[in-house]
Short mmCIF file of all heavy atoms in Angstrom, two decimals:
data_model
loop_
_atom_site.label_atom_id
_atom_site.label_comp_id
_atom_site.label_asym_id
_atom_site.label_seq_id
_atom_site.Cartn_x
_atom_site.Cartn_y
_atom_site.Cartn_z
N THR A 5 -20.51 -6.93 -16.30
CA THR A 5 -19.88 -8.16 -16.81
C THR A 5 -18.93 -8.72 -15.78
O THR A 5 -18.00 -8.04 -15.35
CB THR A 5 -19.08 -7.87 -18.10
OG1 THR A 5 -19.95 -7.24 -19.03
CG2 THR A 5 -18.53 -9.15 -18.68
N VAL A 6 -19.16 -9.95 -15.35
CA VAL A 6 -18.22 -10.63 -14.46
C VAL A 6 -17.14 -11.24 -15.31
O VAL A 6 -17.41 -12.11 -16.13
CB VAL A 6 -18.92 -11.71 -13.61
CG1 VAL A 6 -17.91 -12.44 -12.76
CG2 VAL A 6 -19.99 -11.06 -12.74
N ILE A 7 -15.90 -10.77 -15.12
CA ILE A 7 -14.77 -11.25 -15.93
C ILE A 7 -14.12 -12.46 -15.31
O ILE A 7 -13.68 -13.37 -15.97
CB ILE A 7 -13.74 -10.13 -16.12
CG1 ILE A 7 -14.42 -8.97 -16.87
CG2 ILE A 7 -12.53 -10.60 -16.89
CD1 ILE A 7 -13.53 -7.77 -17.01
N GLY A 8 -14.06 -12.49 -14.00
CA GLY A 8 -13.42 -13.63 -13.34
C GLY A 8 -13.68 -13.55 -11.85
O GLY A 8 -14.19 -12.56 -11.36
N GLY A 9 -13.34 -14.61 -11.11
CA GLY A 9 -13.50 -14.57 -9.67
C GLY A 9 -14.84 -15.09 -9.23
O GLY A 9 -15.78 -15.24 -10.00
N SER A 10 -14.92 -15.36 -7.93
CA SER A 10 -16.15 -15.86 -7.34
C SER A 10 -16.40 -15.13 -6.04
O SER A 10 -15.49 -14.87 -5.26
CB SER A 10 -16.02 -17.37 -7.07
OG SER A 10 -17.02 -17.79 -6.18
N ARG A 11 -17.63 -14.76 -5.78
CA ARG A 11 -17.97 -14.04 -4.56
C ARG A 11 -17.60 -14.83 -3.32
O ARG A 11 -17.27 -14.28 -2.30
CB ARG A 11 -19.46 -13.73 -4.56
CG ARG A 11 -19.97 -13.09 -3.27
CD ARG A 11 -21.41 -12.74 -3.40
NE ARG A 11 -21.63 -11.71 -4.39
CZ ARG A 11 -21.52 -10.42 -4.15
NH1 ARG A 11 -21.18 -10.00 -2.95
NH2 ARG A 11 -21.72 -9.53 -5.09
N HIS A 12 -17.66 -16.17 -3.40
CA HIS A 12 -17.41 -16.98 -2.21
C HIS A 12 -16.01 -17.56 -2.19
O HIS A 12 -15.68 -18.38 -1.35
CB HIS A 12 -18.44 -18.11 -2.13
CG HIS A 12 -19.84 -17.59 -2.10
ND1 HIS A 12 -20.35 -16.91 -1.02
CD2 HIS A 12 -20.82 -17.62 -3.04
CE1 HIS A 12 -21.60 -16.56 -1.28
NE2 HIS A 12 -21.91 -16.97 -2.49
N ASN A 13 -15.18 -17.23 -3.10
CA ASN A 13 -13.82 -17.77 -3.17
C ASN A 13 -12.83 -16.63 -3.31
O ASN A 13 -12.54 -16.17 -4.42
CB ASN A 13 -13.69 -18.72 -4.36
CG ASN A 13 -12.30 -19.32 -4.44
OD1 ASN A 13 -11.47 -19.10 -3.54
ND2 ASN A 13 -12.03 -20.05 -5.50
N PRO A 14 -12.29 -16.13 -2.18
CA PRO A 14 -11.36 -15.00 -2.26
C PRO A 14 -10.12 -15.29 -3.07
O PRO A 14 -9.52 -14.39 -3.62
CB PRO A 14 -11.02 -14.73 -0.79
CG PRO A 14 -11.35 -15.98 -0.06
CD PRO A 14 -12.50 -16.58 -0.81
N GLN A 15 -9.68 -16.56 -3.14
CA GLN A 15 -8.49 -16.89 -3.93
C GLN A 15 -8.71 -16.54 -5.39
O GLN A 15 -7.76 -16.26 -6.13
CB GLN A 15 -8.15 -18.37 -3.78
CG GLN A 15 -7.72 -18.78 -2.39
CD GLN A 15 -6.44 -18.09 -1.97
OE1 GLN A 15 -5.57 -17.88 -2.80
NE2 GLN A 15 -6.33 -17.73 -0.71
N ALA A 16 -9.96 -16.61 -5.82
CA ALA A 16 -10.25 -16.35 -7.21
C ALA A 16 -10.15 -14.88 -7.56
O ALA A 16 -10.15 -14.52 -8.73
CB ALA A 16 -11.64 -16.86 -7.55
N LEU A 17 -10.05 -14.03 -6.54
CA LEU A 17 -9.96 -12.60 -6.82
C LEU A 17 -8.66 -12.26 -7.52
O LEU A 17 -8.62 -11.41 -8.40
CB LEU A 17 -10.07 -11.80 -5.51
CG LEU A 17 -11.47 -11.76 -4.91
CD1 LEU A 17 -11.39 -11.17 -3.51
CD2 LEU A 17 -12.40 -10.94 -5.79
N PHE A 18 -7.56 -12.88 -7.11
CA PHE A 18 -6.27 -12.61 -7.72
C PHE A 18 -5.62 -13.95 -8.05
O PHE A 18 -4.67 -14.37 -7.39
CB PHE A 18 -5.39 -11.80 -6.79
CG PHE A 18 -6.05 -10.53 -6.32
CD1 PHE A 18 -6.51 -10.42 -5.03
CD2 PHE A 18 -6.23 -9.49 -7.20
CE1 PHE A 18 -7.13 -9.26 -4.62
CE2 PHE A 18 -6.85 -8.33 -6.79
CZ PHE A 18 -7.30 -8.21 -5.50
N PRO A 19 -6.16 -14.67 -9.01
CA PRO A 19 -5.72 -16.06 -9.25
C PRO A 19 -4.27 -16.19 -9.65
O PRO A 19 -3.68 -17.23 -9.46
CB PRO A 19 -6.65 -16.51 -10.39
CG PRO A 19 -7.09 -15.24 -11.05
CD PRO A 19 -7.16 -14.22 -9.95
N THR A 20 -3.68 -15.16 -10.16
CA THR A 20 -2.28 -15.28 -10.58
C THR A 20 -1.35 -14.56 -9.63
O THR A 20 -0.18 -14.44 -9.88
CB THR A 20 -2.09 -14.69 -11.99
OG1 THR A 20 -2.40 -13.29 -11.95
CG2 THR A 20 -2.97 -15.39 -13.00
N GLY A 21 -1.90 -14.08 -8.50
CA GLY A 21 -1.08 -13.36 -7.55
C GLY A 21 -0.98 -11.90 -7.88
O GLY A 21 -0.40 -11.13 -7.15
N SER A 22 -1.51 -11.48 -9.00
CA SER A 22 -1.52 -10.07 -9.35
C SER A 22 -2.95 -9.66 -9.65
O SER A 22 -3.83 -10.48 -9.84
CB SER A 22 -0.62 -9.81 -10.56
OG SER A 22 -1.09 -10.53 -11.66
N CYS A 23 -3.16 -8.34 -9.66
CA CYS A 23 -4.52 -7.85 -9.83
C CYS A 23 -4.97 -7.93 -11.28
O CYS A 23 -4.22 -7.73 -12.20
CB CYS A 23 -4.57 -6.40 -9.34
SG CYS A 23 -6.20 -5.68 -9.47
N ARG A 24 -6.23 -8.23 -11.47
CA ARG A 24 -6.84 -8.11 -12.78
C ARG A 24 -8.28 -7.73 -12.56
O ARG A 24 -8.83 -7.91 -11.49
CB ARG A 24 -6.74 -9.41 -13.56
CG ARG A 24 -7.55 -10.55 -12.96
CD ARG A 24 -7.56 -11.74 -13.89
NE ARG A 24 -8.43 -12.78 -13.37
CZ ARG A 24 -8.82 -13.80 -14.09
NH1 ARG A 24 -8.45 -13.93 -15.33
NH2 ARG A 24 -9.60 -14.72 -13.56
N HIS A 25 -8.90 -7.20 -13.56
CA HIS A 25 -10.28 -6.78 -13.41
C HIS A 25 -11.20 -7.96 -13.15
O HIS A 25 -11.09 -9.00 -13.79
CB HIS A 25 -10.74 -6.05 -14.67
CG HIS A 25 -10.25 -4.63 -14.70
ND1 HIS A 25 -10.64 -3.73 -15.64
CD2 HIS A 25 -9.42 -3.96 -13.87
CE1 HIS A 25 -10.06 -2.55 -15.42
NE2 HIS A 25 -9.30 -2.69 -14.35
N ILE A 26 -12.09 -7.80 -12.21
CA ILE A 26 -13.02 -8.86 -11.86
C ILE A 26 -14.42 -8.46 -12.33
O ILE A 26 -15.18 -9.27 -12.83
CB ILE A 26 -13.00 -9.09 -10.35
CG1 ILE A 26 -11.65 -9.64 -9.97
CG2 ILE A 26 -14.11 -10.05 -9.93
CD1 ILE A 26 -11.36 -9.57 -8.51
N LEU A 27 -14.74 -7.22 -12.17
CA LEU A 27 -16.05 -6.75 -12.54
C LEU A 27 -15.86 -5.48 -13.34
O LEU A 27 -15.12 -4.59 -12.97
CB LEU A 27 -16.88 -6.45 -11.28
CG LEU A 27 -18.30 -5.98 -11.51
CD1 LEU A 27 -19.12 -7.11 -12.12
CD2 LEU A 27 -18.92 -5.55 -10.19
N ALA A 28 -16.51 -5.39 -14.45
CA ALA A 28 -16.39 -4.19 -15.27
C ALA A 28 -17.77 -3.71 -15.68
O ALA A 28 -18.70 -4.50 -15.79
CB ALA A 28 -15.55 -4.47 -16.52
N VAL A 29 -17.90 -2.44 -15.87
CA VAL A 29 -19.13 -1.86 -16.39
C VAL A 29 -18.83 -1.40 -17.81
O VAL A 29 -17.89 -0.64 -18.03
CB VAL A 29 -19.58 -0.67 -15.52
CG1 VAL A 29 -20.87 -0.09 -16.07
CG2 VAL A 29 -19.75 -1.12 -14.07
N THR A 30 -19.62 -1.86 -18.75
CA THR A 30 -19.37 -1.53 -20.14
C THR A 30 -20.52 -0.70 -20.69
O THR A 30 -21.68 -1.10 -20.59
CB THR A 30 -19.21 -2.80 -20.98
OG1 THR A 30 -18.18 -3.60 -20.43
CG2 THR A 30 -18.87 -2.46 -22.42
N ARG A 31 -20.18 0.47 -21.21
CA ARG A 31 -21.19 1.27 -21.89
C ARG A 31 -21.36 0.73 -23.31
O ARG A 31 -20.37 0.38 -23.97
CB ARG A 31 -20.76 2.73 -21.96
CG ARG A 31 -20.80 3.47 -20.67
CD ARG A 31 -20.78 4.97 -20.95
NE ARG A 31 -20.54 5.73 -19.73
CZ ARG A 31 -19.36 6.23 -19.40
NH1 ARG A 31 -18.35 6.06 -20.19
NH2 ARG A 31 -19.21 6.91 -18.28
N GLU A 32 -22.59 0.67 -23.78
CA GLU A 32 -22.80 0.23 -25.15
C GLU A 32 -22.08 1.17 -26.10
O GLU A 32 -22.28 2.38 -26.05
CB GLU A 32 -24.28 0.19 -25.47
CG GLU A 32 -24.96 -1.08 -24.99
CD GLU A 32 -26.35 -1.22 -25.57
OE1 GLU A 32 -26.87 -0.24 -26.15
OE2 GLU A 32 -26.92 -2.30 -25.43
N GLY A 33 -21.21 0.62 -26.90
CA GLY A 33 -20.48 1.43 -27.86
C GLY A 33 -19.29 2.15 -27.28
O GLY A 33 -18.66 2.95 -27.95
N GLY A 34 -18.96 1.88 -26.00
CA GLY A 34 -17.85 2.58 -25.37
C GLY A 34 -16.94 1.62 -24.65
O GLY A 34 -17.21 0.41 -24.58
N PRO A 35 -15.82 2.13 -24.12
CA PRO A 35 -14.86 1.28 -23.43
C PRO A 35 -15.37 0.89 -22.05
O PRO A 35 -16.28 1.53 -21.50
CB PRO A 35 -13.63 2.19 -23.33
CG PRO A 35 -14.20 3.56 -23.28
CD PRO A 35 -15.41 3.53 -24.16
N PRO A 36 -14.78 -0.15 -21.43
CA PRO A 36 -15.16 -0.54 -20.07
C PRO A 36 -14.91 0.59 -19.07
O PRO A 36 -13.96 1.34 -19.20
CB PRO A 36 -14.24 -1.74 -19.78
CG PRO A 36 -13.83 -2.23 -21.11
CD PRO A 36 -13.78 -1.02 -22.00
N VAL A 37 -15.82 0.72 -18.11
CA VAL A 37 -15.70 1.74 -17.08
C VAL A 37 -15.75 1.06 -15.72
O VAL A 37 -16.71 0.38 -15.40
CB VAL A 37 -16.83 2.78 -17.18
CG1 VAL A 37 -16.73 3.80 -16.04
CG2 VAL A 37 -16.79 3.48 -18.52
N ALA A 38 -14.67 1.20 -14.93
CA ALA A 38 -14.64 0.61 -13.60
C ALA A 38 -15.13 1.63 -12.59
O ALA A 38 -14.81 2.81 -12.69
CB ALA A 38 -13.21 0.19 -13.24
N ALA A 39 -15.95 1.18 -11.63
CA ALA A 39 -16.44 2.07 -10.58
C ALA A 39 -15.26 2.57 -9.76
O ALA A 39 -14.39 1.79 -9.38
CB ALA A 39 -17.42 1.33 -9.70
N GLU A 40 -15.19 3.85 -9.47
CA GLU A 40 -14.05 4.45 -8.77
C GLU A 40 -14.46 4.81 -7.35
O GLU A 40 -15.45 5.52 -7.14
CB GLU A 40 -13.59 5.70 -9.51
CG GLU A 40 -12.31 6.29 -8.98
CD GLU A 40 -11.09 5.45 -9.31
OE1 GLU A 40 -11.16 4.58 -10.21
OE2 GLU A 40 -10.06 5.64 -8.66
N ALA A 41 -13.72 4.29 -6.39
CA ALA A 41 -13.98 4.65 -4.99
C ALA A 41 -13.42 6.04 -4.72
O ALA A 41 -12.54 6.52 -5.43
CB ALA A 41 -13.32 3.63 -4.07
N THR A 42 -13.93 6.68 -3.69
CA THR A 42 -13.41 7.99 -3.32
C THR A 42 -12.06 7.83 -2.62
O THR A 42 -11.71 6.76 -2.15
CB THR A 42 -14.38 8.72 -2.38
OG1 THR A 42 -14.49 7.95 -1.18
CG2 THR A 42 -15.74 8.88 -3.03
N SER A 43 -11.30 8.94 -2.56
CA SER A 43 -9.97 8.88 -1.98
C SER A 43 -10.02 8.51 -0.50
O SER A 43 -9.15 7.79 -0.01
CB SER A 43 -9.25 10.20 -2.17
OG SER A 43 -9.98 11.25 -1.59
N TRP A 44 -11.05 8.97 0.20
CA TRP A 44 -11.09 8.66 1.63
C TRP A 44 -11.38 7.18 1.86
O TRP A 44 -10.88 6.58 2.83
CB TRP A 44 -12.09 9.55 2.37
CG TRP A 44 -13.54 9.19 2.16
CD1 TRP A 44 -14.40 9.73 1.27
CD2 TRP A 44 -14.30 8.20 2.92
NE1 TRP A 44 -15.64 9.16 1.39
CE2 TRP A 44 -15.60 8.22 2.40
CE3 TRP A 44 -14.00 7.32 3.95
CZ2 TRP A 44 -16.62 7.39 2.87
CZ3 TRP A 44 -15.00 6.49 4.43
CH2 TRP A 44 -16.29 6.53 3.91
N GLN A 45 -12.12 6.56 0.95
CA GLN A 45 -12.38 5.13 1.10
C GLN A 45 -11.11 4.34 0.86
O GLN A 45 -10.83 3.36 1.56
CB GLN A 45 -13.48 4.70 0.12
CG GLN A 45 -14.85 5.20 0.52
CD GLN A 45 -15.90 4.94 -0.55
OE1 GLN A 45 -15.69 5.28 -1.71
NE2 GLN A 45 -17.00 4.34 -0.16
N LYS A 46 -10.31 4.76 -0.12
CA LYS A 46 -9.03 4.09 -0.37
C LYS A 46 -8.08 4.28 0.81
O LYS A 46 -7.36 3.36 1.21
CB LYS A 46 -8.40 4.66 -1.64
CG LYS A 46 -9.17 4.33 -2.91
CD LYS A 46 -8.50 4.98 -4.11
CE LYS A 46 -9.27 4.71 -5.39
NZ LYS A 46 -8.67 5.40 -6.54
N GLU A 47 -8.06 5.48 1.36
CA GLU A 47 -7.18 5.76 2.49
C GLU A 47 -7.55 4.89 3.70
O GLU A 47 -6.68 4.31 4.36
CB GLU A 47 -7.27 7.23 2.88
CG GLU A 47 -6.41 7.60 4.09
CD GLU A 47 -6.53 9.06 4.45
OE1 GLU A 47 -7.01 9.86 3.62
OE2 GLU A 47 -6.15 9.42 5.59
#
Side-chain angles (χ1 to χ4, degrees):
T5 306
V6 177
I7 298 175
S10 164
R11 175 176 294 276
H12 302 291
N13 181 6
Q15 294 297 324
L17 287 170
F18 306 107
T20 63
S22 61
C23 181
R24 67 172 185 166
H25 281 187
I26 294 164
L27 181 67
V29 181
T30 304
R31 289 198 192 100
E32 278 192 348
V37 177
E40 188 71 18
T42 63
S43 58
W44 75 264
Q45 288 172 309
K46 293 178 182 177
E47 178 181 344

